[in-house]
Amino acid sequence: MSPAFRAMDVEPRAKGILLEPFVHQVGGHSCVLRFNETTLCKPLVPREHQFYETLPAEMRKFTPQYKGVVSVCFEEDKDRNLCLIAYPLKGDLGAVESVDNSDCEPKSKLLRWTNKKHHVLETEKTPKDWVRQHRKEEKMKSHKLEEELEWLKKSEVLYYSVEKKGNVSSQLKHYNPWSMKCHQQQLQRMKENAKHRNQYKFILLENLTSRYEVPCVLDLKMGTRQHGDDASEEKAANQIRKCQQSTSAVIGVRVCGMQVYQAGSGQLMFMNKYHGRKLSVQGFKEALFQFFHNGRYLRRELLGPVLRKLTELKAVLERQESYRFYSSSLLVIYDGKERPEVALDSDAEDLEDLSEESADESAGAYAYKPVGTSSVDVRMIDFAHTTCRLYGEDSVVHEGQDAGYIFGLQSLIDIVTEISEESGE
């Protein structure tokens, strides 16, 4: 058990962990929060919790690592700024003993959350500025938040310029539009319920973006059906309509969100689920191409690893009996910060000395290739509507494979293969 959680056993209220916004959330409606550098947390849904507790061993490499459960409270600091604080569940400290809290900020250094729209280039505010802004917002009418969220909903594809100076990854530690929307909605819900309830269970999951300096994230809604067996007639009809009006019905997959760093223009591109629903099959293919394009050229070295992982995942799911992953998503993640490129005919000493900047300046004079192997990750997420015959309380028991999800995977494999072949790989 980590020292931080051992201390919590003695002083649970004094050692709470501040939950920060997770800035790389590009899809979904559930608020995902940053527990620490390598761990995220999200509201506990019993069915999703059950999935992580019982998932087959061969599926673990294709899902985030499950790290336990914490209790989350809605609090205000002395300046009346809104915060979410995580505490270990009483009598259940062992569930989080694998979580390292060494990089967590002490509660005396709370990150304040407000309803203000953030921009990628906005500078950090001083505590006085935060208090002033908070008080100003308290005087605003309640419909202001709804206006901001409506603006976000209409802005389906956004581009933000990132300054060439400084570290790009440090500038990414601001809200992207979709994560801001989810955070605001979560805070609003908890604030409205604060008088009646101020304790929630959240599950802890691996932060899949933590090993990437500039994460590029693609969230794909998988399968030809999105509603769970327990959905109301109205909810089922709504989900069926969304599938029929999108690429889900045709190829079993649609874009649910995207974040891409385009090194050529120094911009971040965000695409949300509303735009993803409107894409045709050709539009989906173009969006996938755009995800692997850095603004200068296609990241061809990523396509082979993605295809291998998708093919392996498909084989794993074909062996799973009775599972249905309704409304589940598939994440594809890679680093927008490329490794240094070197001339193909360089000597060993030249390779060591050549920097990324000099390689960029020399591009065109020589043939260049990246040093080392670029990594790309493929993981299944969101299991709130997953079902299996192992879940004894379910009224509907399915047989065989999840054909809709597997169909979507095959479509994805076919399209990535097309992109690879057309690009001349």
Side-chain angles (χ1 to χ4, degrees):
M1 186 188 308
S2 70
F5 274 105
R6 192 175 296 115
M8 282 187 202
D9 194 22
V10 181
E11 298 179 296
R13 299 302 296 180
K15 299 294 183 179
I17 301 299
L18 174 73
L19 299 179
E20 300 179 1
F22 175 56
V23 298
H24 302 305
Q25 179 180 358
V26 298
H29 58 81
S30 180
C31 180
V32 180
L33 302 166
R34 180 186 181 278
F35 184 86
N36 64 22
E37 184 65 29
T38 60
T39 307
L40 304 177
C41 65
K42 60 183 294 192
L44 184 149
V45 176
R47 184 167 296 275
E48 183 169 46
H49 185 219
Q50 185 176 20
F51 171 81
Y52 279 113
E53 292 274 3
T54 61
L55 84 164
E58 65 177 343
M59 284 188 62
R60 289 176 187 163
K61 67 183 295 184
F62 291 106
T63 60
Q65 180 189 357
Y66 166 68
K67 300 186 178 185
V69 181
V70 291
S71 175
V72 174
C73 298
F74 176 94
E75 299 182 9
E76 288 188 350
D77 66 7
K78 63 182 180 180
D79 296 318
R80 299 186 63 197
N81 294 299
L82 311 182
C83 308
L84 292 178
I85 310 296
Y87 300 96
L89 291 178
K90 186 177 180 180
D92 192 30
L93 298 180
V96 289
E97 63 183 11
S98 63
V99 181
D100 178 15
N101 302 291
S102 59
D103 70 333
C104 290
E105 289 285 344
K107 196 174 173 183
S108 61
K109 296 183 179 180
L110 291 181
L111 172 68
R112 280 81 176 179
W113 293 13
T114 73
N115 290 336
K116 186 181 186 306
K117 283 188 289 188
H118 287 256
H119 300 279
V120 172
L121 300 182
E122 183 180 8
T123 57
E124 295 297 328
K125 290 179 169 55
T126 65
K128 288 184 178 180
D129 290 332
W130 280 112
V131 174
R132 189 179 300 111
Q133 181 65 35
H134 177 75
R135 289 174 179 171
K136 178 181 177 182
E137 289 169 354
E138 285 295 310
K139 298 177 182 178
M140 292 181 180
K141 294 181 179 180
S142 60
H143 68 265
K144 182 63 176 176
L145 176 60
E146 282 68 31
E147 290 178 356
E148 292 183 358
L149 296 183
E150 188 62 26
W151 173 82
L152 281 173
K153 185 174 180 179
K154 292 179 180 178
S155 303
E156 297 174 354
V157 180
L158 297 174
Y159 290 84
Y160 287 94
S161 293
V162 180
E163 290 182 337
K164 294 294 185 181
K165 298 178 181 179
N167 190 333
V168 173
S169 61
S170 67
Q171 296 185 52
L172 290 178
K173 294 180 180 179
H174 295 259
Y175 302 171
N176 69 36
W178 192 258
S179 66
M180 186 186 80
K181 173 180 178 177
C182 293
H183 295 149
Q184 289 180 329
Q185 289 178 329
Q186 181 71 22
L187 283 172
Q188 190 68 25
R189 284 193 298 266
M190 295 182 76
K191 185 177 181 180
E192 291 172 354
N193 296 330
K195 292 182 179 179
H196 310 286
R197 180 186 180 193
N198 191 27
Q199 191 168 6
Y200 300 79
K201 287 183 178 179
F202 278 52
I203 59 173
L204 298 175
L205 298 171
E206 173 189 5
N207 178 3
L208 300 174
T209 68
S210 62
R211 64 193 180 101
Y212 300 106
E213 187 171 348
V214 184
C216 294
V217 184
L218 176 64
D219 185 322
L220 299 170
K221 186 70 73 174
M222 301 299 297
T224 53
R225 168 180 162 176
Q226 302 302 324
H227 64 281
D229 293 323
D230 58 345
S232 65
E233 290 186 11
E234 181 181 1
K235 180 66 177 292
N238 187 42
Q239 293 294 343
I240 291 172
R241 177 182 56 80
K242 290 177 183 177
C243 288
Q244 291 175 339
Q245 296 177 351
S246 70
T247 55
S248 293
V250 184
I251 58 175
V253 55
R254 70 173 183 258
V255 173
C256 194
M258 185 191 299
Q259 170 181 297
V260 184
Y261 176 62
Q262 299 180 320
S265 60
Q267 289 183 319
L268 283 167
M269 188 277 282
F270 300 106
M271 180 185 295
N272 68 24
K273 67 179 182 181
Y274 302 107
H275 186 76
R277 288 178 193 165
K278 298 176 182 178
L279 295 175
S280 63
V281 174
Q282 180 60 30
F284 177 88
K285 179 179 176 180
E286 292 170 357
L288 209 60
F289 180 90
Q290 186 175 24
F291 176 68
F292 291 112
H293 200 285
N294 69 359
R296 293 193 300 244
Y297 50 84
L298 186 70
R299 296 285 300 277
R300 295 184 183 89
E301 79 278 8
L302 301 171
L303 301 181
V306 166
L307 283 172
R308 287 192 290 272
K309 290 177 183 290
L310 291 175
T311 302
E312 184 180 356
L313 174 59
K314 179 172 176 283
V316 168
L317 294 188
E318 287 174 339
R319 295 192 290 269
Q320 305 311 312
E321 175 69 23
S322 182
Y323 273 100
R324 295 295 182 274
F325 302 99
Y326 298 135
S327 199
S328 178
S329 284
L330 189 69
L331 289 186
V332 181
I333 311 170
Y334 70 88
D335 203 334
K337 178 75 170 180
E338 294 183 78
R339 299 190 181 195
E341 294 182 336
V342 299
L344 293 175
D345 58 351
S346 297
D347 296 330
E349 293 182 1
D350 294 334
L351 301 188
E352 294 179 0
D353 296 336
L354 187 61
S355 66
E356 184 176 7
E357 289 75 20
S358 63
D360 287 342
E361 293 171 357
S362 304
Y366 302 94
Y368 284 89
K369 67 176 181 179
V371 176
T373 303
S374 298
S375 62
V376 61
D377 208 353
V378 174
R379 305 285 188 105
M380 298 174 69
I381 61 167
D382 296 339
F383 304 100
H385 301 287
T386 293
T387 183
C388 176
R389 65 184 177 191
L390 299 176
Y391 305 168
E393 73 279 7
D394 287 357
S395 58
V396 180
V397 177
H398 300 272
E399 299 295 333
Q401 309 164 342
D402 187 339
Y405 197 112
I406 293 172
F407 172 60
L409 276 177
Q410 185 59 55
S411 297
L412 199 54
I413 291 170
D414 293 342
I415 292 174
V416 175
T417 300
E418 286 181 29
I419 293 174
S420 178
E421 293 175 348
E422 291 173 2
S423 68
E425 184 175 78

